[in-house]
Amino acid sequence: MTAPASSKSPRRLRAILLVDGSRQALADQAANLRSIIERHLDVAASLDNFHDPFPEVDADLVVVFGGDGSILRAARQMGFTQLPVLGVNLGRLGFLAEIQPEDLDEILPQIVAGQYRVVKHLMFECSVHRSGHEESRTLGLNEAVVLAGPSFSMVEIQLFVDDHLATTYSCDGLIVSTPVGSTAYNLAAGGPIMEKSLQTLVVSPICPHTLTNRPVIDSADHVYELAVPKPNEGTTLLVDGKPIGQVLADDRIRIERSSAEFQLIEVRGRGYYRTLREKLGWGGRLKLKES
């Protein structure tokens, strides 16, 4: 005797929705898009504050409404329990939040059908060590930056790799960036673009005094340390754009690979080089003015 076919429908994917509710325009746009999300996914939880604890619910993915800054904050908020992220671009450039709102009805059925991949990206931990004690530890996705700050005079920043002195930069600051962050501050400072899935870090000086100081790419398996023997009064450490604190003369700033990995959902036809081409305006040929 044949068993009757199950009447149960396949389990729908469950999503956590995340938006910065303090920005009313973003919150309103996300609210308008929620009905599209609910046509294709079950909403396990929604959060409108990047400072609240991340919801401990059963979910398959996180939908982040906003720009790349929102995704950076979401990655920090998830901490060491990272879920795949679908970024819906309500910002400007959108290297990470690459899905446009008008494309959601096309993209979400592909995700439901499993026509996507999850690309894991390097994250790092930045810790400040002062007088032999760890003062702070911050999880980051983009970059750690030491800025010279007020009185806006150049500083000397020592770079140690696996406890060996590599060089001393005379500069306005120093960026240690992941591949994900290579298209952010690193790119603006003249650093190279790195493909996002690489397991590398790039060290890029900001306005170096010596022209032979160039960005250096090396393995993320090393431990990188920065020291500023004579900092300015306003010399500051930032991680993913967030000020961590003033840098003192005896500080050691340690940057090392984290066990956490950021996970980004990538759908067919929307790969890394398409994103670069569209976001950076790589037209492939010169556009001449009409006479």
Side-chain angles (χ1 to χ4, degrees), residues 176-237:
V176 181
S177 170
T178 67
V180 167
S182 70
T183 51
Y185 199 174
N186 167 75
L187 182 62
I193 297 172
M194 298 188 291
E195 201 278 328
K196 288 189 295 186
S197 63
L198 292 174
Q199 301 299 298
T200 53
L201 292 172
V202 57
V203 181
S204 299
I206 302 170
C207 299
H209 182 66
T210 304
L211 294 180
T212 53
N213 283 149
R214 292 288 184 253
V216 175
I217 300 172
D218 204 346
S219 169
D221 290 329
H222 295 304
V223 176
Y224 299 81
E225 290 186 319
L226 309 179
V228 189
K230 296 180 180 179
N232 295 333
E233 288 183 7
T235 299
T236 303
L237 169 67

Side-chain angles (χ1 to χ4, degrees), residues 96-234:
L96 297 174
E98 62 177 6
I99 304 302
Q100 299 304 314
E102 59 270 21
D103 295 333
L104 274 175
D105 259 330
E106 173 194 347
I107 297 299
L108 290 176
Q110 294 181 41
I111 292 173
V112 170
Q115 298 172 359
Y116 68 95
R117 65 176 185 147
V118 176
V119 184
K120 295 183 177 180
H121 300 298
L122 171 73
M123 298 186 76
F124 65 90
E125 292 175 49
C126 180
S127 54
V128 177
H129 299 261
R130 184 174 297 162
S131 302
H133 300 285
E134 184 175 290
E135 291 289 312
S136 67
R137 179 173 289 268
T138 308
L139 183 65
L141 175 59
N142 259 15
E143 75 277 299
V145 182
V146 172
L147 292 179
S151 57
F152 300 109
S153 59
M154 192 176 293
V155 293
E156 291 191 343
I157 302 177
Q158 297 173 335
L159 170 67
F160 296 83
V161 181
D162 293 336
D163 213 28
H164 298 289
L165 178 64
T167 188
T168 300
Y169 296 95
S170 295
C171 55
D172 288 346
L174 195 67
I175 304 167
V176 181
S177 170
T178 67
V180 167
S182 70
T183 51
Y185 199 174
N186 167 75
L187 182 62
I193 297 172
M194 298 188 291
E195 201 278 328
K196 288 189 295 186
S197 63
L198 292 174
Q199 301 299 298
T200 53
L201 292 172
V202 57
V203 181
S204 299
I206 302 170
C207 299
H209 182 66
T210 304
L211 294 180
T212 53
N213 283 149
R214 292 288 184 253
V216 175
I217 300 172
D218 204 346
S219 169
D221 290 329
H222 295 304
V223 176
Y224 299 81
E225 290 186 319
L226 309 179
V228 189
K230 296 180 180 179
N232 295 333
E233 288 183 7

